[in-house]
Structures are given as C-alpha cells and as structure tokens.
Amino acid sequence: MKKLMTKKAMGLLATGMVGLTLAACGAEDTGESAASGQETVNVGILQFMEHNSLTAAKDGFISEMEDAGYVDGESINFDVMNAQGDQSNLQSMSEQLSGNNDLMLAIATPAAQALATAEQDKPILFTAVTDPVDAGLVESSETPGTNLTGTSDMVPIEEQIKLLLSIVPDAQTVGIIYNSSEPNSEIQANLAIEQLEAAGVAVQVSTVTTTNDVQQVLTSLASDVDALYIPTDNTLASTAATVGEIAIEYQLPIVAGSTDQVEAGGLATYGINYETLGRQTAQMALEILENDASPETLAVEMSNELELFVNEDMAEALGIDPDSISLSEE
C-alpha cells in the first residue's frame, strides 16, 4: 500500500554530520561482553511519550541488541519506562533508572535532559534528539565531552521542501504547524521557512501547545494554505491520524519529517526511519559495552539512511499519482 525507497545519506546535512569516534571508556566497567554470557547488563530506557516514531526507535534499539546476542532476561535486562509526556514522570523515572542500570537510553530531548540531570557518570545514549548541543546535552557533536552521546534525528529540510514543492509546484502558501514548546521543532520550522521564502513561497505558521489544540488549529490553517509541512514534532506525531483526516477533508498534501508520521497521516517524506535510527543507536551501545568506547569522545551520529517514503493510500485520497512523487534529482 505504500512505496518505500531507501537511500544512503549523501551529505545532505551540511552541519552536524560526524563520523564515529572510539576511545577508552570512563564509565563503570560492566565486565566482559554480556552477549558472551559473562555478566548480565542492565539497560534502562526512558521514552518521552507514546507515538509511532519514538516507539519505533525503542523497538529498533532492543531488536538490534537482541540480534547482537543480548537477549532480554538472559544476558541483558531492559527496564523500559514511558513518561507519557509528563515532566514530573520524567524526573522520577530518571532517578529510578539511574539507580538501577549500567547504561541508559533516552528517547527524545526531554527524556535525555531529565536523565542527564539525574546521572552524570554512567553512560547515557539518546536518540530522536534534533540538536543535542542546543539542548545542552553535549559540548559538541564531534566530541560530546559528557556522559551522553547518541543519534540525532535532524532531517534534510532542504530536500523535504524541494519534495513538497515538486508535489505542489503551483503552491502560493505553505503552512507549517508545530508545538511551540518543543525547541527541536522550532529549529526545523525556521529552517523550512528559510527554504520556502527563498523559493518565493509565502509561509503561514501555526503553533500548538498540547495535543488538544491540534484539530482546531490545523483545521483553521488548512483552509488558508495549499500544502503543509510538519517537522518531526512529538505532539503532531502523536496526533498524526487526526492530521491525516484533516488533510483528506481539505485535500491538503503534507510532507512530514519522518516516515512514521507519513505512514500515519501524511503524503510523503524524504526522511528518517526511526526503527533504523534506534538500531544505529544500539550499535553505539555495543561500542560502549564491548569495545570500551566512552560517550565523552564517541561522536554524535546522524541517521545513516534516509528514505523517500510515499503513503499511497493518502496519495489516492488526494487524487495524486504516487509514482509521480520523486526526489528532484531523480
């Protein structure tokens, strides 16, 4: 029902693209590889809230660890908690995970910030964080300098806007909607605004603060724009089905930041698959557990793969030929 084409990232993200750096680990010694049966490793996972992208990152992380021989309940114990978007939950869960685990995974920026506050020594990996420097998690992407490192979900904004304008070449106004309290979303939205204005397209921006705002705000926005761009925003991702219903009602093509968002309620993206990003983060965990890599010097990574993803059901609902949707360079 959907078309998926995987492409290796081709240097589209001019900033923040860094390679893997390995160095000696300053974190607690967990002994020999848990996969070899020497010791059981305890890994705490803190997910900010429930939606497809973040859950896919968690599942990808666990699956990759299992593929490497770390079986839950045998050579590894996964302690998974979901804060359901509640800041007080993040604080209490972070303290609990910090006390009980050898290594931790934070999924999304608020979860990473909460764990960073609770634990300054044990290794913490993060994923689904757009700008870890701006979030105060690392000193730099190349050399984190803290007990945190991980993977960024910064997407190729320029390519996504080109994709959007190739789908709706006559668009006069493009709408952008995001949660104004999510700094990562604001960063992406501002980059998208720059690209659209440079292309001579007017931009209309609407923001929300909770999931309860989405239907009303988006309905108002949809009547005034020709197409819509949505960054990798947790609030909009968690309401992607509602977004999709409005898109169909107003015949509004949507390019979103991730494949998960598009699958749930968008038209197309050239972006990140969060399950793959979670697997990539697990590879960094293996470097720490098995090769004594240190988060302080283990560089933050961008997604190794970007995908052109088209929701064919949505294309049909909008009267668009899915085969007509492609990257401009193809």
Side-chain angles (χ1 to χ4, degrees):
M1 298 175 69
K2 303 175 181 68
K3 179 176 65 178
L4 177 65
M5 180 172 64
T6 302
K7 287 177 172 284
K8 290 292 182 182
M10 300 176 292
L12 296 174
L13 305 177
T15 60
M17 182 70 77
V18 291
L20 203 70
T21 304
L22 305 180
C25 182
E28 225 175 26
D29 184 12
T30 59
E32 296 184 34
S33 167
S36 68
Q38 295 300 313
E39 282 192 21
T40 299
V41 178
N42 296 313
V43 174
I45 299 177
L46 180 59
Q47 183 171 328
F48 172 49
M49 67 188 302
E50 189 67 36
H51 68 68
N52 291 348
S53 296
L54 301 189
T55 299
K58 177 202 68 180
D59 292 344
F61 181 89
I62 293 174
S63 295
E64 186 70 16
M65 295 298 290
E66 290 178 344
D67 289 349
Y70 290 80
V71 180
D72 191 19
E74 297 178 13
S75 52
I76 194 168
N77 292 320
F78 291 112
D79 186 1
V80 182
M81 295 187 177
N82 190 319
Q84 300 298 340
D86 189 298
Q87 190 64 42
S88 61
N89 287 342
L90 284 175
Q91 181 177 352
S92 60
M93 289 176 178
S94 294
E95 293 171 355
Q96 185 175 341
L97 290 172
S98 172
N100 298 333
N101 294 283
D102 307 303
L103 178 147
M104 283 151 283
L105 170 68
I107 305 176
T109 300
Q113 291 172 327
L115 276 175
T117 299
E119 178 59 55
Q120 289 83 48
D121 296 316
K122 295 177 183 177
I124 299 172
L125 289 166
F126 54 75
T127 190
V129 171
T130 301
D131 190 338
V133 177
D134 184 73
L137 300 173
V138 299
E139 295 174 4
S140 73
S141 292
E142 294 81 2
T143 308
T146 68
N147 63 317
L148 287 87
T149 190
T151 55
S152 167
D153 64 352
M154 174 61 82
V155 295
I157 305 292
E158 181 178 357
E159 296 301 314
Q160 290 181 345
I161 296 303
K162 286 180 179 178
L163 176 64
L164 177 61
L165 296 180
S166 73
I167 296 170
V168 193
D170 297 327
Q172 299 296 310
T173 305
V174 171
I176 297 177
I177 185 170
Y178 66 96
N179 187 332
S180 58
S181 64
E182 293 191 30
N184 292 339
S185 301
E186 186 172 14
I187 290 170
Q188 295 173 69
N190 288 337
L191 291 171
I193 291 168
E194 290 178 9
Q195 293 297 322
L196 287 164
E197 290 181 344
V201 178
V203 182
Q204 185 165 331
V205 178
S206 293
T207 61
V208 299
T209 55
T210 71
T211 56
N212 295 329
D213 301 334
V214 171
Q215 184 168 10
Q216 180 179 351
V217 172
L218 182 55
T219 299
S220 176
L221 177 65
S223 61
D224 296 330
V225 300
D226 305 307
L228 190 69
Y229 177 76
I230 303 177
T232 55
D233 180 279
N234 289 307
T235 301
L236 272 298
S238 66
T239 56
T242 299
V243 171
E245 292 171 1
I246 295 171
I248 293 172
E249 179 181 354
Y250 286 85
Q251 291 292 286
L252 192 66
I254 296 176
V255 168
S258 74
T259 61
D260 303 282
Q261 287 173 283
V262 169
E263 183 174 21
L267 174 61
T269 190
Y270 180 60
I272 286 173
N273 180 299
Y274 277 83
E275 192 270 346
T276 302
L277 192 67
R279 285 184 174 273
Q280 186 176 336
T281 314
Q283 288 293 327
M284 300 181 75
L286 294 173
E287 291 291 346
I288 292 171
L289 294 173
E290 298 184 348
N291 296 331
D292 289 335
S294 169
E296 291 186 5
T297 53
L298 189 61
V300 175
E301 297 183 25
M302 312 298 286
S303 176
N304 284 336
E305 293 186 2
L306 299 171
E307 299 174 350
L308 173 64
F309 186 91
V310 178
N311 184 332
E312 293 191 348
D313 293 337
M314 180 61 75
E316 181 180 351
L318 298 177
I320 297 173
D321 178 6
D323 292 330
S324 70
I325 300 175
S326 64
L327 298 176
S328 59
E329 68 266 23
E330 292 187 328

